[in-house]
Amino acid sequence: MWDLLAPATQDRTGFTAGFLATVDPDEQPRVRAVILRDADPSAATVSFATDVRSAKIRDIQLRPAVELALYDPDCMLQLRLSGTADIVADPEICAKRWADLAPHTRERFEQIENFAWVAISVTSCDWLDLAAEPPRRFRMTVAPGQHETREIVP
C-alpha cells in the first residue's frame, strides 16, 4: 500500500486525488476531493492540505473518524483508508508544509493563516483489486509496528 501511495505524493498517479468522507454536525455524510501530499509508512499516516475555513475542518474537529477512498483506473485498484484525522497545530510543521507547496497552490489559500495540514492516522485499509478475475478484496490492519492482512469476500 505505501509503495503505491508514496509516488502519488510526488507525481500525478491515480492515487494522487482521493475522496475524503466525514460526518457533518447534522450527522450527514460529506465527501470531497483532496490531494494526497504525504504518505508516511513509519508513522502510518497520510496527509493533505486544506483551507481552515472549509467545512471539512469543522467536521474533523467534531468527529475525527474519517475514510479516504483512492482509485487508480490504470491498475483498477481501489484503496479505502480508515483512520483518525488530526489538524496539525505545530506551527513549524505547518510552515514547512506551506513552503513545500507550489506558489500557485499557496495562492489559493490567500495567506498562511488560512492553511491547514491534516494528518490521518491510518488504522485499516480495504484493498479492492478489480483487475483480478474474479475481483479480490483484502482488509489490512495498519498501525506502526503492526500489519495483518486477510482476504474478504467482495
Side-chain angles (χ1 to χ4, degrees), residues 18-143:
F19 294 90
L20 179 73
T22 63
V23 177
D24 76 9
D26 295 325
E27 298 187 10
Q28 295 301 307
R30 298 291 174 228
V31 178
R32 75 278 282 163
V34 297
I35 302 296
L36 187 67
R37 300 282 181 184
D38 188 61
D40 182 351
S42 64
T45 61
V46 294
S47 303
F48 62 91
T50 192
D51 194 302
V52 297
R53 301 166 292 183
S54 72
K56 71 176 104 24
I57 291 292
R58 177 204 58 211
D59 295 351
I60 290 168
Q61 289 169 330
L62 291 172
R63 292 178 186 84
V66 299
E67 190 162 86
L68 181 64
L70 304 127
Y71 178 71
D72 187 331
D74 292 336
C75 61
M76 296 181 63
L77 183 64
Q78 173 186 275
L79 303 176
R80 286 187 13 238
L81 309 178
S82 299
T84 303
D86 178 50
I87 302 158
V88 176
D90 184 322
E92 288 183 24
I93 292 172
C94 289
K96 181 192 179 323
R97 295 303 185 171
W98 170 264
D100 288 344
L101 295 175
H104 71 275
T105 302
R106 285 196 300 265
E107 287 175 9
R108 294 181 190 148
F109 295 100
E110 297 172 359
Q111 56 191 7
I112 193 170
E113 289 76 19
N114 295 334
F115 173 78
W117 187 255
V118 179
I120 301 171
S121 296
V122 180
T123 55
S124 67
C125 174
D126 186 285
W127 173 295
L128 177 59
D129 182 354
L130 295 168
E133 191 52 53
R136 296 183 73 191
R137 185 173 175 197
F138 299 88
R139 173 62 88 178
M140 294 180 274
T141 302
V142 180

